[in-house]
């Protein structure tokens, strides 16, 4: 996500009480009594709901930790190799086009049309869909753009062509991969599966908000078809084989009116937008002229990666948010369950439970599963229990008198509905991952330096640190399976550096220190892979003075041990980690190398901060990591 903290959204001004105000005085004293006491007390509720399973099995982590690094390079453990696979500007391999396979131009001279046939910018969430042991499709989100790197002269001049190129560099890409006999992976060009989905790709709107008055615009009077997706952050994978791409920080692309209304303000809209200037050449993004267009973004988008002619669908039943990701699992009765975090300060954690069970037969037989069901928002109670509160029109005070005429409007205003029911305001809930052996869910709370400051919510049981610069990983187990409405929770760990002066920034990590956990992924053996996203303005300073560049770590959920597996180049975020089924390859995204304290590089000094991966203009990229002896990664 964008790293300029001055631009980070914080628009939740609702008066939901904090957990510390609801809990008894003794509990509040305990929270003030120290982090060790807090975490130790919260571990107890999970003792009988999965911890016994965690105690079984042998050692999970078998590699030597790499040291902290500030080098402009990817560093992996001895015996491993990291190979460049798919970088911004690489051709995706669309066959049969007169344009051929346009190569990346190091001076950023590619046109908008060429960019639409190339890898987008800022790789984020991704998944590998295997088609046999040595082939498959890699689907990659492209979150946002660095306009200073995307164009030869940055934003010094501005034109319709530059807007089109910016829109072409966002969205999703699908590429075909193959593994050679020596274990190396390569993009296959041409490929009949190759596809780019961008901010200009037509897609359908599905679910209760489809056709709603608030979704209708001059460009789409029916409110059922929208052009484009962008700011695609993390992702999900359905049991029937489709890819879920999540729209995160969309509001900044819209130029707001001089005085945005209450609805727009709650979503962070400001006059003029965040300086991205799309509205100057694409009228849809002028919210003064077209106030409903921004309601059509902030959704989870379902994509069939195996059919390049298919139309993506925005699934509105899953709610609207600055969506980070969408972890999908199933209830005991076969219904789909989707867990989602909203990456903004003091926003919420959601769960969707489908009405219908998943059917056999792939996407063809499950096209409407995500259009019908119940959306819930989480309340984390003091003492380690919690409740999923239904966001259903007519329940829990969510009716016309509260500003929700029907279920469609409620979903469009998911934040306001969550405010109304008293959900817990979290410290930037991001990726969610499920332990394949215990069914325990883990969520990264990346950081929130506003926590406890004047005029902002104070600490509570789930968010126990003021000026939370380091973040934590919270976890919970459902009481009665994934469709249940009650859960038990604790903190898996509080990130930090034990050498920090501030007690709130030391954490309780058992192993290698880190901060700002973001991406989470469980491999089939039960290793939790943690990816960090400390901002460019934080790296090497203050509480991060000794932590170097962002990193990938492996954690053993049974013991809590954490080892540093990879460090990235200067200014990057580590994200998107996913492995092959045999775990002999780990795919990892290196996002925005060279990024400093804001989202836009200097076009006159493009190589000032980083030249990764090729010595020139820095480029986000997917890398493939494998053991030189062909063994299982991480062992």
């Amino acid at each position: 996500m964008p790293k300029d903290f001055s631009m980070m959204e914080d628009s939740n001004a609702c008066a939901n009480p904090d957990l510390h105000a609801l809990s008894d005085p003794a509990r509040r004293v305990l929270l003030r009594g120290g982090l060790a006491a807090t975490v130790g007390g919260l571990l107890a509720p999970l003792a009988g709901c999965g911890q016994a399973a965690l105690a079984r099995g042998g050692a999970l982590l078998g590699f030597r930790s790499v040291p902290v690094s500030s080098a402009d390079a990817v560093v992996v453990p001895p015996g491993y190799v990291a190979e460049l696979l798919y970088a911004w500007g690489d051709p995706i391999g669309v066959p049969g086009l007169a344009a051929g396979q346009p190569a990346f131009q190091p001076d950023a001279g590619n046109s908008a049309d060429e960019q639409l046939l190339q890898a987008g910018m800022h790789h984020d969430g991704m998944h590998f869909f295997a088609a046999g042991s040595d082939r498959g499709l890699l689907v990659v989100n492209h979150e946002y753009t660095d306009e200073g790197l995307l164009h030869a002269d940055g934003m010094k001049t501005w034109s319709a062509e530059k807007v089109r190129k910016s829109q072409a560099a966002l969205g999703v890409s699908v590429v075909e991969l193959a593994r050679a006999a020596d274990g190396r992976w390569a993009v296959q060009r041409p490929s009949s599966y190759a596809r780019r989905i961008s901010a200009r790709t037509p897609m359908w709107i599905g679910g209760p908000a489809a056709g709603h008055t608030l979704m209708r615009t001059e460009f789409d009077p029916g409110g059922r078809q929208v052009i484009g997706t962008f700011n695609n952050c993390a992702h999900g994978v359905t049991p029937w084989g489709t890819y879920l791409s999540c729209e995160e920080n969309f509001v900044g692309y819209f130029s707001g009116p001089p005085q945005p209304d209450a609805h727009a303000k709650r979503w962070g809209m400001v006059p003029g937008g965040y300086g991205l200037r799309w509205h100057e050449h694409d009228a849809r993004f002028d919210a003064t002229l077209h106030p409903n267009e921004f309601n059509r973004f902030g959704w989870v988008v379902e994509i069939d990666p195996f059919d390049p002619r298919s139309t993506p669908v925005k699934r509105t039943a899953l709610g609207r948010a600055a969506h980070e990701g969408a972890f999908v699992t199933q209830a005991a009765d076969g219904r789909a369950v989707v867990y989602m975090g909203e990456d903004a300060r003091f926003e919420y954690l959601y769960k969707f439970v489908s009405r219908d069970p998943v059917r056999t037969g792939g996407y063809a037989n499950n096209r409407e599963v995500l259009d019908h069901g119940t959306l819930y928002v989480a309340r984390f109670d003091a003492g380690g229990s919690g409740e999923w509160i239904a966001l259903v029109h007519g329940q829990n005070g969510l009716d016309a008198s509260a500003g929700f005429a029907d279920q469609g409007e409620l979903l469009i205003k998911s934040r306001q509905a969550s405010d109304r029911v008293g959900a817990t305001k979290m410290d930037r809930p991001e990726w969610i991952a499920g332990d394949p052996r215990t069914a325990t869910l883990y969520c990264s709370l990346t950081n929130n330096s506003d926590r406890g400051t004047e005029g902002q919510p104070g600490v509570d049981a789930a968010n126990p640190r003021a000026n939370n610069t380091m973040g934590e990983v919270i976890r919970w187990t459902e009481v009665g399976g994934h469709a249940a409405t009650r859960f038990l929770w604790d903190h898996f760990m509080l990130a930090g550096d034990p050498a920090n002066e501030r007690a709130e920034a030391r954490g309780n990590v058992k192993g290698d220190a880190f901060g700002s956990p973001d991406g989470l992924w469980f491999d089939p053996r039960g290793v939790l892979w943690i990816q960090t996203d400390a901002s460019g303005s934080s790296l090497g300073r203050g509480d991060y003075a000794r932590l170097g560049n962002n990193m990938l770590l492996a954690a053993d959920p049974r013991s809590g041990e954490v080892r540093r597996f990879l460090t990235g180049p200067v200014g990057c975020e580590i994200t998107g980690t996913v492995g092959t089924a045999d775990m002999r390859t780990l795919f990892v995204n290196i996002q925005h190398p060279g990024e400093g304290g804001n989202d836009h590089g200097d076009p006159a000094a493009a190589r000032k901060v980083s030249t990764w991966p090729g010595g020139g203009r820095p480029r986000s990229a997917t890398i493939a990591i494998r053991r030189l002896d062909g063994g299982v990664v991480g062992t």
Side-chain angles (χ1 to χ4, degrees):
M1 66 165 295
K3 303 303 178 299
D4 184 349
F5 278 14
S6 68
M7 294 174 62
M8 187 174 290
E9 188 199 341
D10 178 3
S11 57
N12 191 348
C14 79
N16 285 359
D18 306 321
L19 286 183
H20 71 285
L22 296 174
S23 58
D24 59 55
R27 177 65 187 174
R28 295 198 292 272
V29 171
L30 173 62
L31 287 172
R32 292 197 299 268
L35 296 177
T38 301
V39 176
L42 294 177
L43 283 172
L46 278 184
C49 60
Q51 296 301 91
L54 289 177
R56 296 192 296 269
L60 287 179
L61 310 181
F63 61 90
R64 187 190 311 168
S65 293
V66 300
V68 166
S69 172
S70 297
D72 193 27
V74 172
V75 180
V76 292
Y80 286 82
V81 62
E83 296 163 326
L84 185 66
L85 180 64
Y86 179 58
W88 162 48
D90 284 351
I92 60 173
V94 174
L97 296 178
Q101 305 295 329
F104 176 73
Q105 294 187 18
D107 65 352
N110 289 107
S111 68
D113 289 340
E114 289 173 332
Q115 176 63 80
L116 201 56
L117 299 174
Q118 298 172 323
M121 275 194 122
H122 290 8
H123 302 37
D124 206 329
M126 67 177 170
H127 187 71
F128 179 69
F129 291 85
S133 59
D134 296 315
R135 299 187 77 87
L137 300 182
L138 190 70
V139 186
V140 182
N141 284 349
H142 301 290
E143 186 182 8
Y144 64 105
T145 56
D146 181 333
E147 303 294 330
L149 295 178
L150 182 63
H151 314 291
D153 66 347
M155 300 182 77
K156 184 177 181 179
T157 61
W158 199 239
S159 64
E161 168 70 6
K162 284 187 173 181
V163 171
R164 289 181 60 244
K165 185 176 181 183
S166 181
Q167 293 174 340
L170 295 172
V172 181
S173 60
V174 181
V175 293
E176 183 178 355
L177 302 183
R179 178 163 50 185
D182 63 0
R184 296 172 183 264
W185 289 88
V187 176
Q188 302 302 290
R189 304 180 183 96
S191 169
S192 59
Y193 296 105
R195 184 182 190 186
R196 277 299 318 281
I197 295 166
S198 76
R200 301 181 71 87
T201 300
M203 45 194 69
W204 295 111
I205 300 170
H212 196 277
T213 301
L214 291 172
M215 300 288 270
R216 297 173 186 172
T217 69
E218 176 185 331
F219 311 101
D220 175 29
R224 295 181 179 275
Q225 188 175 43
V226 63
I227 303 299
T229 183
F230 51 87
N231 263 71
N232 306 79
C233 196
H235 68 293
V237 181
T238 66
W240 50 91
T242 57
Y243 181 82
L244 303 181
S245 185
C246 300
E247 299 177 333
E248 192 193 31
N249 296 308
F250 60 91
V251 72
Y253 292 83
F254 292 88
S255 176
Q259 294 183 329
D261 63 20
H263 172 48
K265 283 182 179 179
R266 181 61 187 88
W267 290 86
M269 184 176 287
V270 297
Y274 292 1
L276 297 164
R277 301 177 63 184
W278 283 10
H279 67 285
E280 295 179 20
H281 297 283
D282 189 337
R284 292 183 300 140
F285 295 92
D286 187 334
T288 301
L289 298 176
H290 306 286
N292 281 354
E293 186 69 25
F294 100 110
N295 291 330
R296 294 144 65 87
F297 296 88
W299 304 103
V300 175
V301 183
E302 185 170 17
I303 299 166
D304 183 354
F306 290 94
D307 183 1
R309 297 168 297 180
S310 62
T311 302
V313 182
K314 298 195 177 188
R315 301 296 183 186
T316 65
L318 276 62
R320 183 165 174 253
H323 280 291
E324 179 72 19
F327 175 76
V328 187
T329 186
Q330 286 181 258
D333 60 6
R335 288 180 291 165
V337 181
V338 187
Y339 292 93
M340 298 163 285
E342 179 166 20
D343 181 14
R345 292 166 173 168
F346 305 114
E347 296 300 344
Y348 303 116
L349 256 172
Y350 296 94
K351 177 172 79 170
F352 169 84
V353 180
S354 70
R355 181 192 67 189
D356 302 322
V358 177
R359 303 174 180 87
T360 59
Y363 189 32
N365 291 339
N366 292 281
R367 291 185 183 276
E368 296 185 359
V369 170
L370 298 182
D371 283 341
H372 307 284
T374 303
L375 182 67
Y376 299 88
V377 66
R379 188 187 72 223
F380 289 78
D381 297 329
S385 63
E387 180 179 354
W388 292 106
I389 306 170
L391 299 180
V392 175
H393 188 259
Q395 299 181 20
N396 299 313
L398 301 174
D399 53 24
S401 66
F404 309 105
D406 49 36
Q407 185 66 13
E409 182 170 6
L410 187 156
L411 292 166
I412 293 167
K413 299 178 178 178
S414 296
R415 283 186 175 178
Q416 294 96 314
S418 300
D419 296 342
R420 176 79 176 181
V421 301
T424 302
K425 295 182 278 189
M426 306 295 286
D427 285 349
R428 294 182 56 201
E430 297 215 43
W431 290 56
I432 299 170
D435 189 328
R437 301 184 302 175
T438 68
T440 300
L441 285 305
Y442 291 67
C443 178
S444 55
L445 305 177
T446 295
N447 55 50
N448 185 357
S449 57
D450 283 356
R451 175 73 65 177
T453 60
E454 184 176 356
Q456 298 287 2
V459 299
D460 57 43
N463 304 275
R465 296 191 283 185
N467 186 19
N468 181 15
T469 59
M470 308 305 287
E472 51 259 352
V473 177
I474 198 168
R475 63 182 175 184
W476 67 93
T477 297
E478 307 280 11
V479 180
H482 289 298
T485 58
R486 298 288 300 171
F487 58 90
L488 300 175
W489 67 270
D490 74 341
H491 289 99
F492 176 51
M493 67 179 63
L494 306 182
D497 180 352
N500 278 333
E501 181 178 348
R502 289 195 313 120
E504 297 90 345
R506 294 173 190 159
N508 63 355
V509 178
K510 297 179 182 178
D512 294 329
F514 70 96
S516 294
D518 189 345
L520 300 179
W521 179 69
F522 269 101
D523 73 22
R525 298 191 303 119
V527 175
L528 177 61
W529 295 88
I530 303 172
Q531 299 126 84
T532 71
D533 182 21
S535 71
S537 59
S538 299
L539 291 171
R541 304 176 181 88
D543 294 335
Y544 287 83
R546 290 163 296 277
L547 294 184
N549 297 338
N550 278 306
M551 60 191 73
L552 171 65
L553 308 106
D556 184 341
R558 305 168 306 175
S559 65
E561 180 190 1
V562 178
R563 295 187 191 180
R564 189 180 301 108
F565 179 81
L566 173 152
T567 58
V570 176
C572 83
E573 167 189 349
I574 305 299
T575 185
T577 298
V578 67
T580 54
D582 60 11
M583 274 303 292
R584 298 183 188 279
T585 302
L586 201 64
F587 299 115
V588 177
N589 279 333
I590 307 297
Q591 189 187 102
H592 60 68
E595 187 170 275
N598 59 55
D599 304 330
H600 301 299
D602 181 357
R607 298 181 293 173
K608 179 180 179 180
V609 179
S610 172
T611 61
W612 191 90
R617 189 173 294 257
R619 301 163 66 188
S620 296
T622 304
I623 58 174
I625 302 169
R626 57 189 176 88
R627 280 174 49 161
L628 292 171
D629 65 3
V632 173
V633 173
T635 59

